[in-house]
Amino acid sequence: MTVNNDRGTNEQSIVAATLLNVDRVGLSYKLGKESLKVVDNISFTAKKNEFVAITGPSGCGKSSLLRVISGLQQSSTGTVKVKGNIVSGPTDEVFMIFQNFALLPWKNVLDNIQLPLLSRGRLSQNDARTKALKVIQEVGLKGFEKAYPGELSGGMKQRVGVARALAVEPEILLMDEPFNALDGLTAEHLRGEIYSLLIGTESPINVVVMVSHYVDEIVELADRVVVLSNRPAKVVEDMPIDMPRPRDKGSERFHHYVDKIYSLLT
Amino acid sequence: MAGQLIVKLFVDTAYSWVRMSLALVLSIIFSWAVGIAAARNRTANAIIIPALDVLQSIPILGFFPVVLVVFVALFPGWIGVNVAVIFLIFTSMSWNIAFAVYEAILSIPQEYLDLVSLEKLGFWRRLTELYIPASWSKVAYNSVVSWSVGLFYLISSEIFSLGTKNYQVSNGIGVDIANYSSQGLWGAYATAIAIFIFAVILTRFFFLGEFSAWSEKFKLIEEPRAVRKDPIYRLYSWINTRAASKVFSVLSRPMSLRPRAPAQSFDYDVERQIAKPRHLHAGKFMKITATLVCLAALVFVIVEVFQTLLAAGISFSVLASKESSVLVGLAYSFVRVWYVYGFSVAVGLPLGIVVALHSKVYQIGSPILQVISAIPATALLPPIALFVATLPFSGELTAAIVIFLGTIWYIIFNVIAGIRSIPSEIFEVAKLMGLRGWRYWKDVLIPAALPSFVTGSITGIGAAWNTLVVAEYFSISGRVITRVPYGIGVLLNVGTNSGDLVLIGLTIFSMTALLVAMNLLLWRRLYKYTTKRFAYRR
């Protein structure tokens, strides 16, 4: 199975359901007079209700790729399409969960979650509040509405990050190493809940793209994994992870996938 | 002729620079003595730290007349005047270096202290092998800032000493600047300013730059590279330390010495905390004792002063009438400082944010701003004041210009450094949230800048009070160019000209009392609140 063939068949068969289309994206930076190629010709797609993980060696440009998809950063070559429209800046369809949470320290939990609803969602103060309180309940933050981020543990902070993303109701949710700043146990706990929160029946989110370098995490969560090479990053493998949920971490199949991805990374 | 002038100016700059260098060397030696003692000895700590705190809130320039009289009495002729000038510059340079040494010694990791104990090093060897090397890097980068601050006092004191006819420095770039402008020799004045700026740039980027680079190798604890290289960060963290120490005056010393680490340097911060020897944090008993000792000393001094005054035939009613004019002046100066501070904020806050947000503007702008900020307002003042003197409200206008130039840099540099220490995620999430225009400023940019803005305000307002002596009453060669009717600066000048030491003493005392009270009542609380609520921590 080569990468090109895979992409070809994808494009023809599921064009209608394709929500995200990353097409030959390249990224280079100017370093003095030379230009440094970080990401080279990366293509992949994601269809409805798909959880895609992107992994690769550290410093290969995974996070930059995510920022191109979000519209925060411009690609040097190639395009990103969301529902067929070329992304040229932040759009209403995409939101992100950050590695270090990116909560505003001067706003309490409720205000942090409400803020995007007021600005980007253009909701009234009342509607925003109702909606924010609803997601606060969903992610298990009830009772912490008035707390400030500085008063919360890392796990709780990331719950606020998740709640904010859920409240925004993006079609495509990007996650940049979302469990990286959490301690082991807290991360495991949140990982256990996050799939049903994001891709559950109630959730308006249709595609999740997660950047991670934890192979176990990827096999636990993702429907598909895109493995990138060293800089300049190319797609080494674009592989479905075909396992029923909830996934048994002790199973042979789980280990098979973990071993496969490790061998691709090294 | 022109060649002669240039040679003379270079020679005079050299004279000034020798004064500056002597003051810097003195400051560093003083700082080692005081800083190391305070960091390694509890009793010394309880005395030195509160003393430094009060000393650094005293308006230094206000001292100058007294200092001049004392040193001229002690030393013959030109030596006395020069010692007075060097002493004045020394007092402007030394407090922050002393606090930096104190902090550097406190942050020596415990392993090193254990090591020198195991090796049974004597006091002198500990000094040369550990304490002095460990403090080099902080001493070096504080020297950069001290040099800029010192330049203001160099120029002011050289101009000042010329004003009081009997006490003049014979050679000095400040003397030349004052002379040429008072005689209306504007070509020579411009040349002097150009050579002065040339010397400032040369010193800043070569000598002081090399000094900092050399001192880096003595670092015991690594800071993240990107942060360390940023010149504005260096300035910022110094200002932070200084402002924090001003704010948390007298009683709550140890907390204030921890500069707010940039968000990226988490490991560094943790190391420092672990490294801090706990037993040095003076207990409640020590604090109360120190406060009582200070209060007793204060009462003693006041009683002594009163008795001396009464013995000298100065009655209570004379004192009361002088104090009432001091209070009027204080009220005028207070309002003046605050409305000019308002202007500085209106310009400095948005300007700082805009410079910090655009990396191209920042790369070009920050070295330019650094050099401009190192040029003392007093050097540029003569032509400005002479022009302003022809306008209505000339006294008020000149005062406002000088205070503004003395304040705004602290606001700009702090805001720039504050915004730049905010992780990019915050700006990214703001973009994804679709925050734009006023909402973006209100919900993200201004709150993000707030903690560093408060520190900038504290030091900025401190600097504003220090400029009043020149700002409110500007004279060149004894000729008054502009003055305001009422103010602290006017009183200090009047007191100097009439030799009224009682008036000078009352003015300095009242002003210091007001500043200390402001720190305790307003700034300390504001600083605590903003760092708690607005500072970005991971």
Side-chain angles (χ1 to χ4, degrees):
Chain A
M1 182 170 71
T2 69
V3 177
N4 280 335
N5 275 346
D6 195 37
R7 200 171 64 84
T9 46
N10 271 354
E11 266 180 19
Q12 280 149 26
S13 56
I14 49 162
V15 114
T18 299
L19 285 172
L20 174 68
N21 188 348
V22 176
D23 188 15
R24 285 164 290 175
V25 162
L27 256 179
S28 28
Y29 291 104
K30 280 232 163 74
L31 258 180
K33 283 185 179 168
E34 286 170 49
S35 95
L36 177 73
K37 200 175 245 181
V38 183
V39 168
D40 187 18
N41 227 8
I42 286 185
S43 301
F44 68 90
T45 59
K47 55 183 191 289
K48 197 168 163 38
N49 289 337
E50 206 171 18
F51 192 127
V52 181
I54 301 174
T55 190
S58 59
C60 77
K62 304 183 289 274
S63 289
S64 302
L65 184 62
L66 213 57
R67 276 157 180 77
V68 170
I69 298 172
S70 70
L72 285 170
Q73 200 177 335
Q74 297 298 310
S75 63
S76 311
T77 54
T79 53
V80 173
K81 283 184 192 159
V82 171
K83 287 165 68 181
N85 301 317
I86 291 179
V87 172
S88 59
T91 64
D92 279 358
E93 282 89 12
V94 185
F95 200 73
M96 177 133 77
I97 291 176
F98 293 82
Q99 181 172 352
N100 291 297
F101 328 123
L103 305 175
L104 303 181
W106 45 86
K107 288 193 175 289
N108 64 28
V109 168
L110 183 63
D111 288 339
N112 258 295
I113 297 171
Q114 276 191 91
L115 185 60
L117 303 178
L118 296 170
S119 58
R120 140 178 179 152
R122 291 167 210 95
L123 293 188
S124 72
Q125 190 79 41
N126 254 342
D127 292 353
R129 193 186 156 80
T130 316
K131 197 164 178 185
L133 287 173
K134 190 173 149 260
V135 289
I136 283 174
Q137 173 104 36
E138 276 173 34
V139 301
L141 279 170
K142 201 163 165 43
F144 291 93
E145 295 86 352
K146 297 284 178 215
Y148 284 87
E151 299 159 354
L152 299 175
S153 68
M156 298 293 266
K157 283 186 200 168
Q158 195 55 298
R159 274 175 200 272
V160 181
V162 171
R164 180 171 63 187
L166 285 173
V168 166
E169 303 189 338
E171 285 207 58
I172 297 172
L173 178 67
L174 310 175
M175 301 202 286
D176 185 12
E177 310 260 17
F179 309 107
N180 206 20
L182 309 180
D183 67 82
L185 267 176
T186 313
E188 198 170 310
H189 211 78
L190 191 56
R191 256 199 308 269
E193 287 175 62
I194 204 155
Y195 186 84
S196 57
L197 274 173
L198 299 181
I199 312 255
T201 41
E202 303 230 333
S203 166
I205 297 167
N206 286 322
V207 166
V208 177
V209 181
M210 173 178 79
V211 162
S212 172
H213 62 263
Y214 288 111
V215 174
D216 284 41
E217 181 173 298
I218 291 166
V219 180
E220 185 183 342
L221 292 175
D223 297 310
R224 206 146 58 76
V225 58
V226 178
V227 182
L228 304 181
S229 69
N230 250 322
R231 205 169 58 208
K234 292 185 166 94
V235 177
V236 178
E237 180 69 85
D238 184 341
M239 169 178 84
I241 297 172
D242 194 10
M243 276 180 79
R245 287 171 198 274
R247 290 175 173 171
D248 177 6
K249 280 191 234 171
S251 72
E252 211 171 291
R253 222 180 151 77
F254 195 94
H255 287 293
H256 161 78
Y257 277 117
V258 170
D259 291 344
K260 180 91 195 283
I261 297 170
Y262 266 122
S263 69
L264 288 166
L265 280 170
T266 46
Chain B
M1 196 61 202
Q4 248 178 338
L5 174 72
I6 288 171
V7 171
K8 177 185 158 46
L9 287 172
F10 270 111
V11 170
D12 287 352
T13 309
Y15 271 97
S16 296
W17 255 235
V18 168
R19 287 179 196 118
M20 288 284 291
S21 307
L22 284 174
L24 183 62
V25 171
L26 261 175
S27 300
I28 293 174
I29 293 170
F30 167 83
S31 300
W32 275 329
V34 164
I36 293 171
R40 303 304 313 160
N41 184 305
R42 286 176 71 164
T43 322
N45 182 298
I47 298 163
I48 291 172
I49 297 303
L52 281 181
D53 254 331
V54 173
L55 281 175
Q56 71 168 358
S57 21
I58 293 176
I60 305 161
L61 220 48
F63 270 142
F64 193 55
V66 185
V67 170
L68 208 50
V69 172
V70 170
F71 280 106
V72 169
L74 284 177
F75 300 96
W78 64 274
I79 299 179
V81 183
N82 274 297
V83 171
V85 170
I86 291 168
F87 181 78
L88 182 79
I89 302 169
F90 160 81
T91 58
S92 74
M93 283 178 163
S94 56
W95 316 131
N96 65 303
I97 303 182
F99 277 121
V101 170
Y102 174 65
E103 194 196 318
I105 303 297
L106 274 192
S107 64
I108 295 175
Q110 190 61 41
E111 303 100 85
Y112 289 89
L113 298 174
D114 294 344
L115 187 68
V116 292
S117 296
L118 288 173
E119 289 176 345
K120 294 196 164 47
L121 294 188
F123 174 72
W124 185 249
R125 299 220 100 190
R126 282 184 194 211
L127 214 58
T128 56
E129 302 298 325
L130 182 63
Y131 296 152
I132 289 177
S135 58
W136 263 129
S137 74
K138 278 197 183 292
V139 167
Y141 94 60
N142 276 283
S143 298
V144 177
V145 190
S146 280
W147 192 272
S148 293
V149 177
L151 284 174
F152 177 85
Y153 292 96
L154 170 87
I155 298 294
S156 305
S157 66
E158 286 183 355
I159 295 178
F160 208 121
S161 70
L162 202 72
T164 50
K165 290 260 184 242
N166 299 321
Y167 313 107
Q168 0 185 309
V169 181
S170 54
N171 290 77
I173 190 73
V175 179
D176 293 335
I177 287 171
N179 264 335
Y180 297 144
S181 49
S182 72
Q183 292 161 24
L185 301 170
W186 296 114
Y189 169 81
T191 320
I193 292 288
I195 286 170
F196 176 76
I197 293 173
F198 176 71
V200 167
I201 294 174
L202 218 61
T203 315
R204 168 68 189 79
F205 288 101
F206 291 93
F207 175 66
L208 293 173
E210 287 302 308
F211 187 20
S212 304
W214 170 80
S215 71
E216 295 278 298
K217 67 177 178 194
F218 294 106
K219 276 202 154 184
L220 293 178
I221 306 166
E222 277 294 304
E223 272 178 75
R225 201 153 260 278
V227 177
R228 197 174 59 201
K229 289 270 176 211
D230 187 335
I232 288 201
Y233 169 70
R234 296 164 156 284
L235 185 64
Y236 170 64
S237 58
W238 169 76
I239 287 171
N240 248 342
T241 331
R242 183 180 152 106
S245 55
K246 271 199 170 184
V247 172
F248 293 95
S249 75
V250 194
L251 293 180
S252 65
R253 181 79 257 154
M255 242 213 80
S256 64
L257 287 159
R258 220 171 293 143
R260 213 150 41 69
Q264 297 91 319
S265 68
F266 180 67
D267 296 333
Y268 170 62
D269 204 37
V270 168
E271 272 185 64
R272 291 177 58 114
Q273 309 246 354
I274 295 167
K276 203 156 275 184
R278 299 260 169 250
H279 64 271
L280 273 170
H281 294 189
K284 234 185 192 150
F285 176 72
M286 286 303 285
K287 281 183 188 169
I288 293 169
T289 318
T291 318
L292 287 179
V293 168
C294 288
L295 279 179
L298 192 67
V299 170
F300 177 74
V301 168
I302 291 174
V303 169
E304 277 298 299
V305 168
F306 258 105
Q307 278 177 346
T308 321
L309 290 175
L310 290 175
I314 295 163
S315 69
F316 185 77
S317 65
V318 172
L319 271 186
S321 85
K322 282 192 204 265
E323 179 60 22
S324 69
S325 66
V326 168
L327 290 179
V328 171
L330 204 57
Y332 273 91
S333 292
F334 184 84
V335 172
R336 189 166 291 126
V337 163
W338 276 86
Y339 88 75
V340 180
Y341 163 75
F343 279 115
S344 302
V345 173
V347 177
L349 183 63
L351 188 67
I353 290 176
V354 168
V355 169
L357 282 183
H358 301 92
S359 49
K360 282 230 171 87
V361 179
Y362 171 77
Q363 277 163 11
I364 302 165
S366 71
I368 296 175
L369 287 178
Q370 279 187 9
V371 169
I372 298 176
S373 67
I375 302 168
T378 30
L380 300 176
L381 199 57
I384 299 175
L386 283 170
F387 169 72
V388 170
T390 61
L391 304 174
F393 302 109
S394 60
E396 197 60 46
L397 208 54
T398 310
I401 292 171
V402 179
I403 299 170
F404 181 81
L405 289 176
T407 316
I408 190 164
W409 305 111
Y410 293 100
I411 310 251
I412 291 183
F413 284 132
N414 267 286
V415 167
I416 290 179
I419 291 284
R420 287 187 68 85
S421 70
I422 298 289
S424 57
E425 285 185 344
I426 288 285
F427 300 111
E428 288 178 344
V429 83
K431 267 189 204 154
L432 288 182
M433 286 183 193
L435 288 176
R436 252 175 253 109
W438 170 235
R439 189 169 230 138
Y440 184 38
W441 282 75
K442 178 179 73 91
D443 285 335
V444 178
L445 293 178
I446 292 177
L450 213 56
S452 48
F453 168 71
V454 168
T455 17
S457 298
I458 294 167
T459 8
I461 288 193
W465 284 95
N466 266 324
T467 61
L468 288 182
V469 178
V470 181
E472 293 186 336
Y473 189 100
F474 188 68
S475 63
I476 311 172
S477 305
R479 184 161 66 97
V480 181
I481 309 298
T482 57
R483 58 163 290 183
V484 294
Y486 303 102
I488 283 297
V490 175
L491 289 173
L492 286 172
N493 278 286
V494 169
T496 310
N497 294 342
S498 58
D500 190 345
L501 287 180
V502 176
L503 181 65
I504 295 177
L506 279 177
T507 311
I508 293 177
F509 178 78
S510 310
M511 184 166 165
T512 308
L514 176 71
L515 293 189
V516 170
M518 286 288 288
N519 280 350
L520 286 172
L521 294 177
L522 173 72
W523 293 118
R524 179 176 170 172
R525 289 167 192 205
L526 203 59
Y527 181 85
K528 267 191 177 164
Y529 172 72
T530 50
T531 41
K532 176 173 173 254
R533 180 63 71 228
F534 292 84
Y536 193 88
R537 264 175 259 107
R538 278 190 177 162

